Amino acid sequence: MRGHWACYATAVRMTFVEHLRNRLALVIIVVFIPVWAILIYALSLEVALPFHVRAAARVVALPANVLNQLAGALQILALITGFMMFVTTLSSASFDRRLVRSGFPQLCLIAAKLTALVVVALCVAAYATGLICLTHRPAQPLLLAAALFGGALIYGGIGIVLAAVLTSDLAGLVLVTVICSVDLALQSPLATPAAAGALVRYLPDYGPMQGAVAAVALDTVPWSAVAPAVCWAVGTALVGVSAFAGRTRVHRPVGGPATLSA
């Protein structure tokens, strides 16, 4: 048991060292999140927009600057977490394969990836929640933090999935950007009249967006939005882990070594 904990600790340390090498993502976290969160709130109009909180069976009127700030926070967290998990998983793929071939437990590497995903998502969600609270006080700050955490977790899992099928950092960044932009644009009443449609329930950030709006405008928890968010988070994590396990699996020959007969 001690040996497995030591392997897990080693794998976690290597994973976070890899994350810390991604200086671009760290700069975006420290600088771009506050700039984005504050500017999008300050520069947007205060015109009230109707938003259908389907999970609570309510339509709330929310100022456009608040709604844009919530959608922008989910988008930037999706980009950061998705890109960070994509880059670290892709860049360490060959090293991870060599580790497994050398006898390092594959389960420890998988657990380390999941630990990093949860920690990164938790940190950026807490940071973004604090920044949002500087501009206006949400009715339920903990629900807001949970919604942002869920959105970051979902796109972190998507980043791991994309690392299994793509080989370019640029391709990963573009694809994560396109997915989350379309996802959140379809839920914005400012961008499309389809935001109140039933199909938005199947989008990755449906649960987090519903939870974020409820955290600002309501005093109830939209429980029916929790299940889609959990399904997306668990689903993307499982697909990503399965793809990672497949890429680092050691293929052993069937049977014993061949021998020459005299």
Side-chain angles (χ1 to χ4, degrees), residues 13-86:
R13 184 170 63 253
M14 291 188 299
T15 302
F16 279 104
V17 167
E18 193 70 31
H19 277 295
L20 292 174
R21 288 177 179 172
N22 190 354
R23 292 187 177 88
L24 175 60
L26 296 178
V27 170
I28 291 175
I29 291 173
V30 175
V31 177
F32 195 64
I33 288 182
V35 171
W36 180 270
I38 294 173
L39 281 184
I40 199 171
Y41 178 83
L43 298 180
S44 298
L45 298 176
E46 296 185 7
V47 178
L49 294 175
F51 186 89
H52 188 194
V53 186
R54 183 180 297 275
R58 294 274 300 275
V59 176
V60 299
L62 210 63
N65 55 353
V66 174
L67 191 59
N68 286 342
Q69 187 183 51
L70 296 177
L74 284 169
Q75 183 175 23
I76 192 62
L77 295 193
L79 287 173
I80 291 172
T81 313
F83 187 58
M84 285 183 71
M85 297 308 300
F86 173 81

Side-chain angles (χ1 to χ4, degrees), residues 150-236:
L153 208 60
I154 289 169
Y155 275 91
I158 290 175
I160 297 177
V161 173
L162 293 178
V165 296
L166 300 176
T167 58
S168 165
D169 290 355
L170 180 60
L173 178 60
V174 169
L175 203 51
V176 170
T177 303
V178 169
I179 293 172
C180 72
S181 297
V182 172
D183 180 3
L184 291 164
L186 290 177
Q187 299 187 61
S188 171
L190 190 63
T192 173
L199 290 179
V200 298
R201 292 180 296 177
Y202 304 103
L203 296 173
D205 256 346
Y206 165 76
M209 188 65 187
Q210 293 277 304
V213 172
V216 171
L218 301 175
D219 56 1
T220 59
V221 177
W223 291 111
S224 62
V226 173
V230 171
C231 288
W232 270 104
V234 173
T236 54

